[in-house]
Amino acid sequence: LIAMRPQPGGQDGHCGNLNFDAKDDTLEMISARMSLRVSAQDSLFPVASVDFTDVTEKSIADCAPEIREQARAACEQMQVSGDGEAASESFIEAFV
């Protein structure tokens, strides 16, 4: 688990800018503020394994219906609220 805490003077990056405004933490907004590439000297990994500049963003619509249904069923089995009720549809949609 990686935890980010606000830094004095502010910060920005792939996880957003921690100003608690999710609207300015989209991929488009972040890339308008800064480069999305990590320099070789700042990288925690010795060699880049994937070039993400050509990776297209995926959405739930890209998921095959049978795979999505398997994921939904697995999520419903694992995610139960504190009162024993199944997770809400919006919760499941967020994670499927």
Side-chain angles (χ1 to χ4, degrees):
L1 178 63
I2 297 174
M4 288 184 59
R5 290 173 179 72
Q7 300 296 306
Q11 66 195 57
D12 209 349
H14 288 273
C15 296
N17 56 13
L18 287 174
N19 66 352
F20 303 104
D21 181 3
K23 293 184 299 268
D24 69 1
D25 290 337
T26 65
L27 181 62
E28 293 79 19
M29 295 289 286
I30 294 170
S31 64
R33 294 190 301 261
M34 61 181 291
S35 170
L36 296 178
R37 298 189 61 83
V38 175
S39 69
Q41 69 185 29
D42 290 332
S43 178
L44 299 176
F45 306 100
V47 177
S49 58
V50 176
D51 184 3
F52 289 102
T53 58
D54 296 328
V55 176
T56 56
E57 194 169 328
K58 301 282 185 178
S59 76
I60 193 71
D62 298 315
C63 185
E66 61 276 7
I67 300 298
R68 183 176 178 186
E69 189 49 44
Q70 289 174 1
R72 176 185 300 285
C75 185
E76 286 175 347
Q77 280 187 322
M78 292 187 301
Q79 301 300 324
V80 176
S81 67
D83 60 6
E85 295 296 317
S88 72
E89 183 69 18
S90 60
F91 177 87
I92 293 170
E93 283 297 315
F95 292 100
V96 172

